[in-house]
Amino acid sequence: MSAGTPLSASGGPSAAAAEEALEPCAMVIFGASGDLTHRMLLPALYNLALDRRLPPRFAVVGFARSDWTDDEFRRRARQSVQQFSRRPVDDAVWESFANSLFFVSGEYHQPQAHARLAALLKKVEKERGTGGNHLYYLALPPTTFPLIIGGLQKTGGIGRDHQRDGWARVIVEKPFGADLESARELNRQVHNAFREDDVYRIDHYLGKETVQNILVFRFANGIFEPIWNRRYVDHVQITVAESIGVGQRGSYYDATGALRDIVQNHMLQLLSLVAMEPPIAFNGRAVRNEKVKVLHAVRHLAGEEVDAATARGQYARGWISGQEVPGYREEDNVSPHSATETFVALRLFVDSWRWADVPFYLRTGKRLPKRSTEIAVQFKRAPHLLFRDIADVSAMEPNFLTIRIQPNEGISIKFLTKVPGSPVRIRPANMDFIYGASFLVQAPSAYETLILDALRGDATLFTRADEVEAAWSIMAGVLERWQSAPPPAFPDYEAGTWGPAGADALVERDGREWRRL
Ligand code: BG6
């Protein structure tokens, strides 16, 4: 990690960043014919090319089982960009970008395929001056990692046994393991070949502008931090609601579920950014140290505590935006008897001086009425209800500070105000900051930000080994309890509703309610 690199430098084109000279590099994508490469990686790389943010001497080498040539890869890459880029294709930029794309077809375990890759990398190094620096992107399930890493070690693509010129970094996609044990094992495998500083575990939520802004909002302003603690905060609600179902990802999702797919990574990342102490500096080590401390402070749930502090659900057939949608068990590649959860709600406590006894309520689900990710901090009520005798107290809602991660990105503060005229009437009002209205530039996609950071050697926005393990250890008691309990009576919420009744009961037991979104 490049110590001291400002977080914001990777957030979008700026005069300073435009002058930044990136080291030459060849980026190798394992899984280059897959969905992630098609939807996210190639469009992100093209947008970086459009902004002239890629290294001047750069190449992308796709590696996959598909029997493609360089030309076929380029043709398909153009389709990816046409379909998924946030900006249209510019022919001149495309031409030069396409010339930097190469392809190797082969099996991940085949020595011959790795030999072909090594030969191509040598050729690319000569022709495009990529300088022996390699950024490997593992856009594949973790079962392939040992094969790929083993292959690279044998051909000298990485490894401590080989004298190499240039650096080798690796970007690893989620899911990083399926539980604490498998995450530890993956860390061991990756560390066999890479130093931790060269490992970039992706959680694409950290690349989102609004997520990065949590740190700026909290620590660049003087007015919020003094009230950001148990003395003033009643509780925090973090919601990741999706209206989509599992689509074509049934086989992955059915073996995974919402707890592993969203809570263990994206939601615990949001929680750590909201709950962390101010880091001593804005660099990868300091920021991640503080996030890890939060994860270590999260109280682990076990046995019956899990039943009281969690709710899980699975969607049944229902209606979303006027369209009838199938139930989870009717989706492609999903077992008709599946016990996989598509909804999770849970209550966590961060046992620290700052947050003791403040509940953090988390909920996420597929096929909810709308797409909405937000963090809402509810403050305690005013200590003395001065207006009790002259105004309707039931209208006196508590103050909320809401960070809208997506869509309609922004931050709002809800406070009480007097309705003009007499008698005194009190109503909530909002102070609203809306990104789209305040900044007229389009934000880069999370993948643009994260790929650029990896090219720059800045791991601030990536998950560290101890962090990923700490996050899994929070999940361990819940996974164990859920596995040992009898199968839940699924499906238990209709598509297009806000989840199972258990989710409401979870907060209502504490005398609270979920925010209406
Ligand atoms: C992915 C999950 O990590 O995040 C998906 O695997 C989920 O199931 C997606 O749909 C949500 O990402 P975003 O950026 O649309 O909120």
Side-chain angles (χ1 to χ4, degrees):
M1 117 103 236
S2 58
T5 313
L7 270 182
S8 56
S10 58
S14 71
E19 286 164 16
E20 176 188 36
L22 288 174
E23 292 180 280
C25 160
M27 177 170 168
V28 182
I29 304 178
F30 290 96
S33 58
D35 202 50
L36 184 80
T37 309
H38 175 55
R39 286 168 175 270
M40 301 292 179
L41 305 187
L42 288 166
L45 285 164
Y46 171 74
N47 276 281
L48 289 172
L50 203 55
D51 287 334
R52 285 191 259 136
R53 316 262 346 238
L54 290 174
R57 285 175 291 144
F58 182 68
V60 176
V61 176
F63 185 123
R65 281 186 296 208
S66 304
D67 190 15
W68 295 350
T69 58
D70 291 346
D71 281 344
E72 180 65 10
F73 183 46
R74 291 171 186 176
R75 196 181 63 73
R76 288 174 184 258
R78 186 168 174 129
Q79 283 173 354
S80 304
V81 173
Q82 271 164 342
Q83 212 177 334
F84 295 107
S85 164
R86 63 187 170 90
R87 292 174 296 187
V89 179
D90 172 305
D91 283 329
V93 174
W94 173 259
E95 182 98 348
S96 112
F97 176 67
N99 285 336
S100 72
L101 303 181
F102 302 87
F103 192 79
V104 176
S105 161
E107 299 281 342
Y108 302 109
H109 64 273
Q110 263 181 354
Q112 307 90 304
H114 281 276
R116 283 200 297 280
L117 173 65
L120 179 61
L121 283 170
K122 276 262 164 299
K123 182 174 144 228
V124 163
E125 188 178 329
K126 237 197 216 140
E127 285 175 10
R128 301 195 56 92
T130 48
N133 296 327
H134 298 159
L135 174 61
Y136 299 107
Y137 199 120
L138 306 186
L140 286 167
T143 43
T144 58
F145 296 176
L147 305 174
I148 293 170
I149 290 172
L152 288 173
Q153 278 175 317
K154 282 196 197 104
T155 53
I158 44 168
R160 295 172 176 146
D161 310 340
H162 293 269
Q163 275 303 332
R164 294 190 65 250
D165 294 328
W167 46 255
R169 299 179 189 140
V170 66
I171 302 182
V172 188
E173 258 302 327
K174 72 172 271 261
F176 198 84
D179 54 19
L180 180 57
E181 251 330 289
S182 52
R184 281 190 178 138
E185 179 53 31
L186 270 185
N187 275 332
R188 270 193 291 272
Q189 285 165 2
V190 172
H191 288 155
N192 264 335
F194 293 92
R195 295 177 315 140
E196 174 60 22
D197 281 355
D198 293 323
V199 183
Y200 294 73
R201 293 175 196 76
I202 280 222
D203 182 314
H204 78 280
Y205 263 56
L206 292 176
K208 290 182 191 274
E209 281 293 320
T210 41
V211 173
Q212 294 174 59
N213 193 41
I214 297 171
L215 293 183
V216 176
F217 176 77
R218 286 191 57 198
F219 303 129
N221 295 299
I223 58 172
F224 303 113
E225 211 41 32
I227 54 167
W228 209 256
N229 57 53
R230 67 188 304 275
R231 188 150 173 216
Y232 299 99
V233 173
D234 178 76
H235 74 276
V236 178
Q237 292 188 17
I238 303 179
T239 302
V240 176
E242 296 186 285
S243 56
I244 54 168
V246 293
Q248 295 315 303
R249 300 164 74 226
S251 49
Y252 155 76
Y253 197 90
D254 211 30
T256 306
L259 192 77
R260 291 183 169 101
D261 187 45
I262 301 273
V263 181
Q264 183 272 344
N265 36 75
H266 306 327
M267 297 195 86
L268 289 184
Q269 286 295 331
L270 296 179
L271 181 141
S272 23
L273 292 170
V274 168
M276 72 195 268
E277 296 300 318
I280 51 164
F282 256 144
N283 63 47
R285 180 186 297 248
V287 170
R288 296 191 295 177
N289 282 349
E290 294 306 333
K291 281 163 59 197
V292 171
K293 279 193 215 161
V294 173
L295 295 174
H296 283 153
V298 172
R299 194 184 304 164
H300 287 198
L301 298 167
E304 285 172 9
E305 289 162 356
V306 173
D307 308 339
T310 70
R312 53 179 160 158
Q314 186 191 77
Y315 62 83
R317 175 173 284 273
W319 294 80
I320 302 227
S321 314
Q323 283 220 317
E324 191 172 24
V325 295
Y328 176 69
R329 290 175 176 185
E330 300 164 89
E331 302 275 16
D332 289 348
N333 301 317
V334 168
S335 155
H337 311 289
S338 174
T340 299
E341 79 286 354
T342 61
F343 179 99
V344 176
L346 72 165
R347 185 190 62 192
L348 295 175
F349 286 101
V350 179
D351 287 334
S352 67
W353 192 271
R354 185 192 285 258
W355 294 116
D357 301 326
V358 176
F360 285 74
Y361 298 103
L362 276 52
R363 67 175 157 165
T364 182
K366 298 231 183 265
R367 288 290 189 218
L368 301 185
K370 52 162 40 168
R371 175 172 187 247
S372 174
T373 295
E374 64 154 53
I375 299 165
V377 178
Q378 183 183 315
F379 291 91
K380 292 185 174 166
R381 286 178 186 276
H384 175 57
L385 284 181
L386 192 61
F387 303 101
R388 186 173 25 210
D389 299 334
I390 50 172
D392 176 11
V393 183
S394 66
M396 293 192 200
E397 294 179 24
N399 298 122
F400 260 111
L401 189 152
T402 308
I403 300 173
R404 292 188 304 275
I405 305 293
Q406 65 191 24
N408 191 18
E409 291 79 359
I411 298 176
S412 65
I413 297 178
K414 192 193 234 181
F415 59 99
L416 293 174
T417 186
K418 179 180 174 301
V419 179
S422 65
V424 174
R425 278 185 300 142
I426 294 178
R427 286 256 186 87
N430 268 324
M431 279 198 291
D432 220 353
F433 153 65
I434 299 169
Y435 271 80
S438 298
F439 300 108
L440 298 173
V441 293
Q442 208 186 37
S445 74
Y447 278 92
E448 286 168 54
T449 300
L450 294 173
I451 291 172
L452 187 59
D453 277 4
L455 289 168
R456 293 163 61 230
D458 183 347
T460 309
L461 300 179
F462 294 82
T463 320
R464 213 164 58 184
D466 52 345
E467 196 176 351
V468 88
E469 290 181 15
W472 275 119
S473 76
I474 296 168
M475 298 291 103
V478 181
L479 287 169
E480 198 180 302
R481 180 73 176 175
W482 284 1
Q483 265 149 25
S484 63
F490 283 167
D492 58 356
Y493 70 96
E494 249 175 60
T497 65
W498 282 105
D504 292 329
L506 175 73
V507 286
E508 283 162 11
R509 277 197 293 274
D510 294 347
R512 300 188 172 93
E513 57 185 27
W514 292 111
R515 269 167 56 76
R516 246 182 262 147
L517 301 179

